[in-house]
C-alpha cells in the first residue's frame, strides 16, 4: 500500500519561508515524477511544481523564482522550499507521485494535504 506522508505546513508571515516534505513508501514500482499541487478555498487544484526522476523541473508561473522543488531518489522524498511567501500562496498543499509505467500502465497517488497559511 502506497503512502505519502507530508509535513512542514503552517502559519507564516508574508515574506517568510517554509519547507514542505513528502516521503513516499510502499510502492513496488519506481517513481517517475513527484510534484506539489495546491488548492485554495473556492478554487481548483493547481500544479505548483514538478520534478522528474532525472531532475527536470517545472513551475507554475506564480511561484517561479520563489519556490524550489527537489527530491531524494534514494529516500523517495520530495521537498518544496517556499521563499518570499505571499498571502495568495495560502492553500492546502498536496504531494503527488506518478510511478514509472510498466506495460504501459502508470499509477498516481496523492498525499493527505498540508495547510500553508500566509498572513500577518
Amino acid at each position: 500500500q502506497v503512502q505519502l506522508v507530508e509535513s512542514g505546513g503552517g502559519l507564516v508571515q508574508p515574506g517568510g519561508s517554509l519547507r514542505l516534505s513528502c516521503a513516499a513508501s510502499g510502492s513496488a514500482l519506481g517513481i517517475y515524477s513527484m510534484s506539489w499541487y495546491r488548492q485554495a478555498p473556492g478554487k481548483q487544484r493547481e500544479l505548483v511544481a514538478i520534478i522528474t526522476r532525472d531532475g527536470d523541473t517545472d513551475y507554475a508561473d506564480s511561484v517561479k523564482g520563489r519556490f524550489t522543488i527537489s527530491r531524494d531518489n534514494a529516500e523517495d522524498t520530495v521537498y518544496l522550499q517556499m521563499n518570499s511567501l505571499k498571502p495568495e500562496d495560502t492553500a492546502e498543499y498536496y504531494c503527488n507521485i506518478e510511478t514509472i509505467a510498466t506495460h504501459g500502465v502508470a499509477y498516481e497517488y496523492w498525499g493527505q494535504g498540508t495547510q500553508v497559511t500566509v498572513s500577518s
Side-chain angles (χ1 to χ4, degrees), residues 13-51:
Q13 292 187 340
S17 298
L18 282 175
R19 189 190 195 210
L20 305 183
S21 299
C22 173
S25 62
S27 176
L29 301 174
I31 298 174
Y32 173 67
S33 68
M34 306 185 83
S35 54
W36 289 96
Y37 286 72
R38 67 185 181 187
Q39 187 168 20
K43 295 189 176 181
Q44 288 189 327
R45 190 173 295 190
E46 63 173 353
L47 177 65
V48 176
I50 186 169
I51 184 168

Side-chain angles (χ1 to χ4, degrees), residues 53-106:
R53 189 169 186 84
D54 295 331
D56 295 327
T57 60
D58 197 14
Y59 296 89
D61 287 343
S62 59
V63 307
K64 283 181 181 176
R66 300 188 298 121
F67 291 10
T68 302
I69 190 169
S70 60
R71 67 186 280 179
D72 182 337
N73 287 336
E75 299 293 331
D76 285 340
T77 299
V78 62
Y79 305 96
L80 186 67
Q81 179 66 44
M82 305 185 292
N83 299 328
S84 302
L85 282 161
K86 304 176 181 180
E88 50 263 44
D89 294 317
T90 296
E92 189 82 6
Y93 283 70
Y94 296 90
C95 175
N96 172 280
I97 67 166
E98 182 177 319
T99 65
I100 294 171
T102 302
H103 303 299
V105 179

